[in-house]
Amino acid sequence: MKKRYLVVCSMLLNILPSSPIYAQDYDLVINGGRVIDPETLFDDIANVAVKDGRIVAISKKSMKGKETIDAKGKIVAPGFIDTHFHFQMPIGYSLGLRDGLTSSMDLEMGCAGSYIEKWYKAREGVAGANYGCAVSHEFARAKVIDGSNGDYLLNGPIAALETRKKTGWSVTRPTLEQGNKILEEIDKGLQAGAPGIGSTVGYMREGVSSREMFEVQKVGARYGRATGAHTRYTLGTDTTEVNGAQELIANALALDAPAIVLHFNNPGWRVTHEMITGLQAQGHNIWGEIYPYAAGSTPMNASFLKPESWVDDLGHRYEDTMLDPETGKYYTLETYKATVASEPTKPIVIFKMPAEDEAKWLTLKGVTMASDATAATPYDAAWDYPMAKLGGTHPRTAGARGATIRLGRDNNIPMMQLMSILSYNAAKHLGDTGLKFMQERGRIQEGKVADIVVFDPELFKDNSTYQQGAIPSTGMKAVIVNGKVTVRDDELLPVFAGQPIRFEPETKPRFEPISLESWNNTFSTGMPDFH
């Protein structure tokens, strides 16, 4: 009798967790939504239960919890992930959350290596979204060549508004001694746990040699981490753009290292995508980003906007392509020159591609949608600052994910594809570098972290424009970050559940200084020394 009792109890324990009688065991239940998991291709109506920050049950059976969300007619998908979000500030996270962004990273500009630890510390307990920052190639150069230093570097990518007032970081070729200091500064950031290296080599094409770029990627390779790059010739032609991607990719292959070709939705994008796709089929962890906008955003003093490049080489006119997002007016050659002199780091909008390509990029297999979100003003506003009062930014900052869903809806792009490029693809590639944080996200599966979006597939859309870039998206039923409801019915809540996206810091650096002597010893039989 005792044995039979034990068997019955065991059976009850196995079946009761999905029964309503255990309602109080769940912190949150999302009922009746269309659940999409891009990794397993699961796509069905189901209920999702969350407890202690993780998904613990996905079932058609009735489930109740302390908190519920009615998701009937809604999509239930992994929280959106962005690897190219420069606005790493409280109000920036808020804009992203309204657009479904649960994990926000900057893997292009990044943060100065010796400030990485402080950068993460400053966001503990005050970020609504998960946050991460690469170690910056550009800031390493600014520190070593221009002497840029100070607490403003704690702002990570936003610090470029200060460092770019000087020019050495962009145009100066470093000495061997300076080069080693640059590489050592990058190594400090990786030692502190940065998820990768961010390089803006396209803004530094005069100052960064092929050797320097190779050595920068070599620093990342020692840790097995990705280098993301605004490639050398972006913005450029359909030949130079591809050549820039080829530099990054060839270095990665030679070093057996991961790499991210950032925002390659520029001339030559079909060739770049075909190269990346072929390498992925061979097992290489190399991937690319796109965003669904024909226009980009950049500081006024970018070298590729000089008349000899933008007008003479690329054939553009300022009057058609260069927009001031604050005034809504286009520049002329005269106003361009005047603004470069008076406000060299002023952000502007640049029209560079046909609008009909926007939806095409969203159909590309294996890419990630990364917004390249730029800071709005005031960039240091509180998390609940009125978004309608923010200015001076590109619409992708507030609406890249809403735009993706809107364009997908208008062009019949499968929802599974959209959820892949908005979430899973980034998580998969970063997870494959060993980043545990991303191995547990980008999926709707039992046991995974509960970063979840619930949205109306017919209503979710962007509202931001080139004239008003910070108007938030609408149609988001709920955004859940680490199991906590952070947005409900398009209302941002005072919930700060964001966690750091990083590797565990290491006790020892992996930096290895370079020298001509060591190169000769490694790659030659012994070169004669001519003095």
Side-chain angles (χ1 to χ4, degrees):
M1 188 70 168
K2 183 177 181 180
K3 183 176 180 181
R4 181 181 176 186
Y5 174 80
L6 291 173
V7 170
V8 171
C9 284
S10 177
M11 291 172 61
L12 286 172
L13 288 172
N14 286 332
I15 65 172
L16 280 177
S18 61
S19 169
I21 196 170
Y22 267 66
Q24 299 309 309
D25 277 358
Y26 298 128
D27 298 324
L28 171 68
V29 172
I30 305 167
N31 285 315
R34 178 186 169 191
V35 178
I36 294 180
D37 177 57
E39 183 172 55
T40 62
L41 302 182
F42 180 87
D43 185 349
D44 202 357
I45 304 300
N47 307 313
V48 178
V50 174
K51 182 176 175 61
D52 296 330
R54 291 187 179 267
I55 299 168
V56 294
I58 301 171
S59 175
K60 288 184 175 293
K61 295 181 179 179
S62 176
M63 297 189 290
K64 296 181 180 179
K66 298 173 185 175
E67 191 173 3
T68 61
I69 295 171
D70 180 5
K72 185 177 181 181
K74 309 295 190 297
I75 300 292
V76 179
F80 300 150
I81 298 169
D82 195 333
T83 54
H84 200 148
F85 196 88
H86 296 306
F87 202 2
Q88 296 285 320
M89 302 293 280
I91 188 63
Y93 298 135
S94 294
L95 278 171
L97 284 163
R98 286 289 305 272
D99 204 31
L101 180 58
T102 58
S103 289
S104 169
M105 291 166 277
D106 183 335
L107 301 187
E108 184 200 46
M109 174 58 73
C111 178
S114 51
Y115 283 79
I116 285 286
E117 184 63 40
K118 293 179 180 178
W119 185 90
Y120 277 102
K121 186 72 175 176
R123 284 154 180 77
E124 288 182 4
V126 296
N130 302 316
Y131 50 93
C133 209
V135 58
S136 174
H137 181 194
E138 180 177 320
F139 288 144
R141 287 177 59 85
K143 285 189 57 145
V144 173
I145 296 172
D146 291 327
S148 297
N149 208 356
D151 287 345
Y152 60 85
L153 289 171
L154 278 172
N155 290 330
I158 307 296
L161 297 174
E162 184 65 30
T163 60
R164 287 186 174 182
K165 292 177 181 178
K166 300 178 181 180
T167 59
W169 63 271
S170 174
V171 300
T172 300
R173 290 286 185 100
T175 64
L176 179 61
E177 180 182 5
Q178 288 175 321
N180 275 318
K181 288 181 179 178
I182 289 167
L183 299 176
E184 187 174 19
E185 174 71 7
I186 293 170
D187 185 87
K188 287 179 181 178
L190 295 176
Q191 184 187 352
I197 298 172
S199 176
T200 52
V201 62
Y203 290 90
M204 309 183 291
R205 58 187 76 174
E206 298 93 342
V208 175
S209 66
S210 296
R211 164 59 67 185
E212 180 178 337
M213 191 63 199
F214 184 73
E215 293 296 337
V216 166
Q217 290 182 244
K218 189 186 293 182
V219 176
R222 293 192 188 106
Y223 291 82
R225 297 181 201 171
T227 296
H230 175 125
T231 54
R232 184 178 294 275
Y233 303 117
T234 297
L235 295 168
T237 68
D238 59 358
T239 296
T240 59
E241 286 272 358
V242 175
N243 291 162
Q246 287 168 334
E247 176 187 33
L248 177 73
I249 291 170
N251 289 347
L253 293 175
L255 295 165
D256 192 23
I260 318 170
V261 184
L262 304 180
H263 50 37
F264 73 89
N265 48 295
N266 292 309
W269 57 270
R270 292 179 189 271
V271 177
T272 300
H273 182 60
E274 185 174 343
M275 286 192 303
I276 294 171
T277 301
L279 290 168
Q280 288 178 350
Q282 296 172 35
H284 299 287
N285 194 12
I286 295 171
W287 70 102
E289 299 175 349
I290 56 89
Y291 55 72
Y293 293 90
S297 182
T298 191
M300 175 67 76
N301 64 351
S303 62
F304 50 78
L305 295 181
K306 293 178 180 178
E308 56 268 30
S309 174
W310 192 248
V311 178
D312 298 342
D313 292 345
L314 298 177
H316 298 300
R317 283 170 21 105
Y318 293 118
E319 293 86 348
D320 303 324
T321 60
M322 186 180 291
L323 178 73
D324 183 337
E326 292 183 339
T327 66
K329 295 181 179 179
Y330 284 87
Y331 286 87
T332 64
L333 177 60
E334 290 71 27
T335 57
Y336 161 76
K337 288 181 177 179
T339 308
V340 166
S342 62
E343 299 179 81
T345 61
K346 179 181 175 65
I348 55 171
V349 171
I350 288 292
F351 289 87
K352 57 190 176 68
M353 293 295 289
E356 57 265 27
D357 283 352
E358 294 172 343
K360 295 176 184 177
W361 296 323
L362 299 177
T363 70
L364 298 180
K365 298 176 181 178
V367 302
T368 65
M369 198 299 292
S371 66
D372 195 6
T374 55
T377 54
Y379 69 82
D380 56 353
W383 71 275
D384 57 352
Y385 186 86
M387 294 174 183
K389 294 183 178 181
L390 294 168
T393 192
H394 191 290
R396 64 196 184 194
T397 299
R401 281 144 285 277
T404 297
I405 299 302
R406 172 180 55 79
L407 285 165
R409 183 168 59 236
D410 293 346
N411 293 276
N412 298 313
I413 301 173
M415 189 61 70
M416 189 66 74
Q417 162 71 2
L418 299 178
M419 296 304 97
S420 295
I421 67 175
L422 286 169
S423 187
Y424 171 69
N425 292 351
K428 173 65 167 63
H429 286 294
L430 288 170
D432 285 349
T433 70
L435 187 59
K436 184 179 179 182
F437 188 99
M438 283 296 156
Q439 293 169 356
E440 298 185 322
R441 287 169 172 82
R443 300 144 172 103
I444 298 291
Q445 298 171 21
E446 293 181 6
K448 300 300 183 183
V449 174
D451 285 354
I452 303 170
V453 290
V454 182
F455 64 91
D456 190 319
E458 299 301 322
L459 298 179
F460 181 51
K461 68 181 184 71
D462 56 322
N463 298 299
S464 52
T465 66
Y466 290 110
Q467 287 72 36
Q468 291 184 291
I471 305 300
S473 297
T474 50
M476 187 62 67
K477 178 70 176 178
V479 178
I480 297 123
V481 180
N482 296 301
K484 303 295 184 182
V485 179
T486 306
V487 173
R488 186 184 275 271
D489 295 320
D490 289 328
E491 180 184 353
L492 187 67
L493 305 177
V495 176
F496 307 99
Q499 295 295 316
I501 307 168
R502 67 190 297 191
F503 287 88
E504 285 294 323
E506 300 186 8
T507 57
K508 296 180 180 179
R510 301 192 191 187
F511 170 65
E512 297 177 14
I514 61 174
S515 69
L516 185 59
E517 180 183 12
S518 65
W519 192 96
N520 288 344
N521 290 337
T522 302
F523 297 104
S524 82
T525 59
M527 289 189 180
D529 186 11
F530 296 105
H531 292 287

